[in-house]
Amino acid sequence: MKKFLLAIIIYYTATFSVTAQTLYGVTFNGGNRGGGTIDQFVPATNILNVPQSFESFAANPHYTNLIQGANGKLYGMTALGGNSGAGVIFSYDPSSAIYTMLKDFDNENGAFPQGSLVQASDGKLYGMTFQGGSDNAGVIFSFDPANSIYTRLVDFDTTNGANPSGSLVQGNDGKLYGMTNQGGALGSGVIFSYDPASTTYAKLKDFGIGSGAYPYGDLVQTSDGKFFGMTFQGGMYGYGAVFSFDPVSSDYVKVMDFDSTNGANPSGSFSLSDDGKLYGMTQLGGGSNAGVIFSFEPSTASYTKLKDLDSTNGANPQGNLIQAADGKLYGVTYQGGGNGSGVIFSIDPATSVYTNLKDFDNTEGGFPQGGLLQASDGKLYGLTLKGGISSIGIIFSYDPQASAYAKLKDFGANINGSKVSASLLLAGNGKLYGMTVYGGTGGNGIIFCYDPVTNTYTKLKDFDKINGANPYGNLVQASDGKLYGMTAGGGTNGYGVIFSFDPSSSVYTKLSDFDSTNGANPYGGLIQANDVKLYGMTTRGGSSNYGVIFSFDPASALYTKIADFDGANGGNPNGNLLQADDGQLYGMTLNGGNGRGGTGLGVIFSLDPSTLKYTKLQDCDTSSGANPYGSLIQATDGNIYGMTSAGGENNYGVIFSYSPSAGVYNKLTDFDETNGATPYGSFLQTSDGKLYGMTANGGSNTLGVIFSYTPSTATYTKLLDFNGINGANPFIGSAFVEGPEAGPLPVALVSLTGKNSGNSNQLTWKVDNEQHLDYYQLERSVDGQNFKEISQIKATGNNSYSYTDLVAGGSFLYYYRLKSLDKDGHFKYSIVIKIRTGLKGLAVVTPNPFRDKLIVNIESPLQQKVIFMLSDLNGRKLYRDSKVLASGSNIIEINEAGRLSKGTYLLTIIESGETQSIKVVKGD
């Protein structure tokens, strides 16, 4: 008989407890830092706690400056990033170096801001977005820094102006004035006013090609009450124009045309100096066609070119100048300088002396598009469009007195990670493991650990693109104790990787690169099947770019593409596979299939891992459920359950069941937005028989809900609404995992051992009961993930226990674990053991001693690949080969062709993750 004791292992899905259930989940958005949450949910009390909140990320500030609010904080916007990818409002406190995300833009309330904020006399911040709103032409909004209330005030449209790229300015009359880049009667932008007191919007002037068109910057009001500005194009020569506008008389006057020699295509704004002149820059034109710095005297319409910019000292400015306390004008250029990434410069308006102060180097920021702000501490603050750790911009300061530059904040870096998509993994050490899609030192995501007992969050690994980036799936702990996962991007080919991470040593290993042909961009996770191989799917790649099903053997590092999705048989899976009690692998695809006349709304399928036969089982359609993102689970009733993100009566998705034995699909309930909508994840079944899940949208706050579904009574119950603070929008692969409550837990069980005896598995264990454990559950799984209770045992002290589990005849792999419960309702898992029925004993090697050939007689319970290795007693590998064994008796010949000298060697046989080692002797 073969006995073995295995290392600690635990899996993340479908666990069962008796009482005091504590479920852990993640959300993609929300939390007090905007970047998602780890949530702790107790169904018995319906209480949701947030032990960990991730920071959201912002990206790429466009044509924007910082402003300093009355409270001393700096406020700004980015054009990208945030929960919806549409930009954010943020604050940065220069005294404490605290960065805070304040508001995520979205398409409905405004998206992709390209200008700056202004603080008006009422204390509120006002700004505009380039897109979003009812006509997707941008909005005017207010944001109150005192209470963080955001209000959409005006929706731009093509008639009254569209797509503003600049900022607002408050005029002497208290109204806000601004320009749009497009829209209006001639499609070239407008000048407008907005009165905060009366909430009245008025279009004041339509730009046209002849008088100036497509302005990017802001207006500036001079002492006579007129506004001056610049247009990017139009005018006599098509290079833009300088104009004045009188808000009292509505008189618009083009006062100067750019002609390329004196500058071309200004994309910034004027700065009003204390000498009464307006100072500005053009993006192009001048002697080197790299832009110019100029002054303009409003009263006489006198233009003076002060400096031709060039690639050496700074080129192509896209913002505005600022006059600092020392009287000099300061600005930044988008390109040029020593590294080509732009510069910080000063120019003295009295002498026209230009000084390059700082070359951006991209690492510490690069390609600034806006201007600078001089704050109350005397330092200049600004933003860059690109550069920094994540190459999506930074906040920086420059001290003109000390000539000191400092990078203050990397957008997108978020050292401890941002945005968790899939479920957590509860490992054998009782800790929860997961990955973030973004953040980390390179912005490519991280692997993290959360200890629910000590409430400790630890970053374990930064993804670095070369070895993988942006994981959307979950981790799985395999029988070797390592964690395995995939990334959607990065790697040698940029299509993602398969990797392992050893939690005991923190060693990360890239195992395989996806290459598009064999699959690309996986958005799900791996499972370990009965044959000990890892199975997974990719969302894209393969012969038709609809994704593939593959296996990966961790013992041999062999990747095998099993099946290509081709659209007709399904396409673009986003979840995991499930190995059910019948040994088959089941899964879903987001698209493809022939539901309702070939609409391609996804399929449910099975795959036989022994024959590699793929079978499409069910076409999704608009009536019974469409476009599933998540994974399937098998419940205690034997049925398979899942969710779709769309379709059903309300087109918000459905809950369904599928019977593997009968091949019957049933729609069970329709999501209806009020009680939850568009689920992207999967279920967890607990010991009360209920299925627990989350939706990405819907509910009272439209941010998703937590719900339960009871299969026996077909009862759906909304349990809790996500409200943003407690999380929002659980994303692809989201699912609960049962974990320990915070607080003291019993010590780990001392041992759990097992052995196979024909058609039964005999298990014995010894328990250290110093923690006064109440009783145990013995649980069994056929896939290492879906554990089900097979016995309860009353704890009677420090005793030994035994149990005989009758199992099906033939060769099968079973997983066992114990779950302990103390009198306070806290639980912990034992190690997991693996027992295969039908083992015939160890391999027999003849002859021994041998000359050139070894004959290995080995019994295999199933068709499988086995690895044979010869090594010397110092561990050096001298021979390695793999053979596919048939079920039953196998005769394997190992021919080392006389390469080995006389002596003693070790023959190692790796079979289904189990290792046999036999000493062999080479003689004469």
Side-chain angles (χ1 to χ4, degrees):
M1 298 295 182
K2 185 176 180 182
K3 299 182 181 181
F4 48 88
L5 179 65
L6 299 182
I8 294 175
I9 179 172
I10 192 73
Y11 294 88
Y12 78 99
T13 57
T15 56
F16 301 85
S17 71
V18 179
T19 185
Q21 296 165 349
T22 303
L23 311 183
Y24 288 85
V26 296
T27 64
F28 196 69
N29 297 322
N32 59 20
R33 303 172 70 200
T37 62
I38 296 176
D39 287 335
Q40 182 191 64
F41 180 67
V42 181
T45 61
N46 220 33
I47 293 175
L48 180 69
N49 295 314
V50 183
Q52 175 70 24
S53 183
F54 295 95
E55 182 182 334
S56 189
F57 68 95
N60 305 120
H62 279 260
Y63 301 113
T64 183
N65 301 348
L66 293 164
I67 69 164
Q68 187 164 34
N71 57 9
K73 294 181 181 179
L74 307 181
Y75 291 89
M77 299 187 289
T78 65
L80 299 174
N83 289 339
S84 302
V88 307
I89 302 173
F90 65 87
S91 69
Y92 180 82
D93 190 335
S95 61
S96 63
I98 293 176
Y99 168 91
T100 306
M101 292 272 296
L102 300 174
K103 167 67 181 177
D104 293 290
F105 289 105
D106 56 56
N107 197 58
E108 180 181 357
N109 292 301
F112 314 116
Q114 294 194 6
S116 306
L117 296 163
V118 62
Q119 189 165 34
S121 53
D122 60 7
K124 294 180 181 179
L125 305 176
Y126 289 85
M128 301 182 287
T129 67
F130 186 73
Q131 292 182 19
S134 60
D135 294 285
N136 199 32
V139 307
I140 300 174
F141 67 86
S142 69
F143 180 82
D144 192 334
N147 54 27
S148 296
I149 293 177
Y150 177 95
T151 306
R152 189 179 78 193
L153 303 171
V154 175
D155 290 289
F156 289 108
D157 56 45
T158 54
T159 302
N160 292 308
N163 309 117
S165 291
S167 310
L168 297 164
V169 60
Q170 189 166 33
N172 297 336
D173 56 8
K175 295 180 182 179
L176 301 173
Y177 290 85
M179 301 182 286
T180 68
N181 181 257
Q182 299 174 49
L186 303 173
S188 304
V190 307
I191 300 173
F192 66 86
S193 69
Y194 176 77
D195 190 340
S198 63
T199 67
T200 302
Y201 175 91
K203 183 178 74 170
L204 304 175
K205 165 67 181 177
D206 289 291
F207 286 107
I209 297 298
S211 59
Y214 308 113
Y216 276 92
D218 317 335
L219 297 165
V220 61
Q221 192 168 32
T222 56
S223 57
D224 59 3
K226 292 180 181 178
F227 289 103
F228 283 81
M230 297 180 284
T231 66
F232 184 71
Q233 293 180 13
M236 182 180 296
Y237 307 103
Y239 295 115
V242 177
F243 66 86
S244 70
F245 179 79
D246 190 331
V248 178
S249 63
S250 297
D251 288 338
Y252 176 94
V253 179
K254 183 184 70 172
V255 295
M256 194 197 86
D257 292 286
F258 290 104
D259 62 7
S260 187
T261 301
N262 66 2
N265 307 115
S267 56
S269 310
F270 279 122
S271 173
L272 182 61
S273 175
D274 54 16
D275 60 9
K277 294 180 181 179
L278 300 173
Y279 289 86
M281 300 181 288
T282 65
Q283 185 178 157
L284 300 171
S288 301
N289 198 32
V292 307
I293 303 172
F294 67 91
S295 69
F296 183 81
E297 171 60 66
S299 60
T300 62
S302 299
Y303 169 92
T304 304
K305 184 167 66 173
L306 304 175
K307 169 71 176 176
D308 282 298
L309 296 168
D310 56 52
S311 59
T312 302
N313 292 305
N316 312 117
Q318 297 183 16
N320 57 281
L321 297 160
I322 182 175
Q323 189 170 35
D326 59 8
K328 294 180 181 179
L329 301 172
Y330 290 84
V332 292
T333 66
Y334 181 69
Q335 293 179 323
N339 304 300
S341 305
V343 307
I344 302 173
F345 67 86
S346 69
I347 186 166
D348 190 329
T351 64
S352 298
V353 173
Y354 176 95
T355 305
N356 182 344
L357 303 171
K358 163 71 180 178
D359 288 301
F360 289 104
D361 62 6
N362 217 29
T363 301
E364 293 189 329
F367 305 100
Q369 274 192 318
L372 299 166
L373 158 80
Q374 187 168 39
S376 55
D377 58 8
K379 294 179 182 178
L380 304 174
Y381 291 86
L383 307 163
T384 67
L385 175 70
K386 302 177 183 179
I389 288 175
S390 303
S391 299
I392 55 177
I394 65 160
I395 303 172
F396 67 87
S397 69
Y398 181 80
D399 188 336
Q401 289 188 327
S403 300
Y405 175 90
K407 183 177 72 170
L408 304 175
K409 166 69 180 177
D410 282 283
F411 291 119
N414 300 349
I415 301 303
N416 286 318
S418 180
K419 309 282 189 180
V420 184
S421 181
S423 61
L424 299 168
L425 161 74
L426 180 61
N429 58 10
K431 296 179 180 179
L432 299 165
Y433 291 84
M435 300 182 286
T436 68
V437 180
Y438 304 109
T441 56
N444 302 304
I446 67 166
I447 301 172
F448 66 85
C449 169
Y450 174 72
D451 189 334
V453 179
T454 61
N455 193 28
T456 302
Y457 175 90
T458 306
K459 182 178 74 171
L460 302 174
K461 163 69 180 177
D462 289 288
F463 289 105
D464 59 10
K465 282 192 178 178
I466 295 173
N467 292 301
N470 310 120
Y472 281 86
N474 57 277
L475 295 162
V476 63
Q477 191 168 29
S479 53
D480 58 8
K482 294 179 181 178
L483 311 182
Y484 290 84
M486 301 184 287
T487 67
T492 302
N493 307 303
Y495 296 116
V497 308
I498 301 172
F499 67 86
S500 69
F501 181 82
D502 190 334
S504 61
S505 63
S506 295
V507 173
Y508 175 95
T509 306
K510 183 178 76 169
L511 302 172
S512 182
D513 287 284
F514 291 106
D515 62 4
S516 188
T517 301
N518 288 315
N521 312 121
Y523 278 74
L526 299 162
I527 67 163
Q528 188 170 38
N530 290 350
D531 59 8
V532 196
K533 292 179 183 177
L534 302 172
Y535 288 84
M537 301 181 285
T538 67
T539 303
R540 286 181 282 273
S543 60
S544 303
N545 202 31
Y546 281 106
V548 309
I549 304 173
F550 66 87
S551 69
F552 181 81
D553 189 336
S556 63
L558 179 65
Y559 176 95
T560 305
K561 183 174 74 170
I562 296 172
D564 287 284
F565 292 106
D566 59 14
N569 68 358
N572 312 119
N574 281 266
N576 303 347
L577 294 163
L578 161 76
Q579 187 163 39
D581 288 342
D582 60 7
Q584 300 288 301
L585 303 177
Y586 292 87
M588 302 185 289
T589 68
L590 175 67
N591 301 312
N594 299 304
R596 291 187 69 95
T599 49
L601 301 177
V603 308
I604 301 172
F605 66 86
S606 69
L607 179 82
D608 189 328
S610 59
T611 65
L612 304 184
K613 180 183 177 182
Y614 176 94
T615 305
K616 184 176 71 172
L617 302 172
Q618 176 75 24
D619 286 296
C620 298
D621 58 45
T622 54
S623 175
S624 57
N627 305 119
Y629 275 90
S631 307
L632 299 164
I633 72 158
Q634 187 170 32
T636 52
D637 60 8
N639 288 325
I640 290 172
Y641 290 85
M643 299 180 280
T644 69
S645 68
E649 185 175 335
N650 307 299
N651 200 30
Y652 290 120
V654 308
I655 299 172
F656 67 85
S657 68
Y658 180 82
S659 171
S661 57
V664 175
Y665 175 96
N666 284 309
K667 183 181 75 171
L668 302 174
T669 191
D670 294 281
F671 291 104
D672 62 6
E673 189 173 29
T674 301
N675 291 306
T678 57
Y680 288 140
S682 313
F683 284 118
L684 167 76
Q685 188 176 33
T686 57
S687 61
D688 57 10
K690 294 180 180 179
L691 305 175
Y692 289 88
M694 298 175 279
T695 67
N697 298 294
S700 301
N701 305 302
T702 70
L703 300 175
V705 308
I706 298 173
F707 68 89
S708 68
Y709 180 80
T710 306
S712 59
T713 61
T715 303
Y716 177 94
T717 306
K718 183 179 79 170
L719 301 173
L720 188 138
D721 290 285
F722 288 110
N723 60 20
I725 300 300
N726 64 8
N729 314 120
F731 203 40
I732 298 172
S734 56
F736 283 114
V737 58
E738 191 174 4
E741 293 184 56
L745 291 173
V747 296
L749 301 177
V750 170
S751 64
L752 175 63
T753 59
K755 62 181 179 180
N756 166 248
S757 177
N759 292 330
S760 65
N761 288 330
Q762 298 172 2
L763 301 106
T764 61
W765 63 93
K766 185 177 180 181
V767 176
D768 181 355
N769 202 26
E770 292 180 357
Q771 296 291 320
H772 307 292
L773 302 176
D774 193 2
Y775 58 92
Y776 312 97
Q777 290 174 257
L778 183 62
E779 299 179 333
R780 180 181 65 199
S781 168
V782 296
D783 62 0
Q785 297 187 39
N786 291 283
F787 282 89
K788 300 175 183 179
E789 178 190 334
I790 58 173
S791 181
Q792 286 191 12
I793 301 98
K794 181 72 176 176
T796 57
N798 194 343
N799 294 304
S800 295
Y801 300 85
S802 64
Y803 181 82
T804 300
D805 183 27
L806 298 177
V807 293
S811 296
F812 294 99
L813 184 65
Y814 293 92
Y815 298 79
Y816 294 91
R817 72 182 182 196
L818 280 174
K819 183 178 185 179
S820 62
L821 187 78
D822 68 14
K823 298 182 186 301
D824 296 322
H826 301 127
F827 60 84
K828 193 166 186 178
Y829 296 100
S830 72
I831 60 173
V832 171
I833 69 163
K834 215 175 36 172
I835 302 179
R836 186 184 297 281
T837 62
L839 288 177
K840 305 296 184 182
L842 294 174
V844 176
V845 179
T846 59
N848 193 8
F850 70 97
R851 293 186 65 184
D852 297 333
K853 295 181 181 178
L854 276 171
I855 305 299
V856 183
N857 189 327
I858 184 170
E859 296 282 341
S860 177
L862 74 166
Q863 182 177 328
Q864 61 176 322
K865 186 176 72 174
V866 174
I867 296 171
F868 298 88
M869 290 191 300
L870 275 171
S871 56
D872 62 22
L873 298 183
N874 293 319
R876 290 181 297 174
K877 295 180 177 61
L878 307 173
Y879 172 93
R880 187 182 188 277
D881 196 6
S882 62
K883 305 287 186 182
V884 177
L885 304 186
S887 177
S889 252
N890 292 266
I891 304 296
I892 303 298
E893 181 181 285
I894 297 177
N895 188 350
E896 52 86 18
R899 288 172 292 183
L900 301 182
S901 58
K902 290 191 295 182
T904 301
Y905 298 91
L906 199 64
L907 173 65
T908 301
I909 304 171
I910 303 174
E911 173 191 4
S912 297
E914 301 165 16
T915 299
Q916 304 178 30
S917 295
I918 304 168
K919 280 188 179 181
V920 294
V921 177
K922 181 173 182 181
D924 294 324

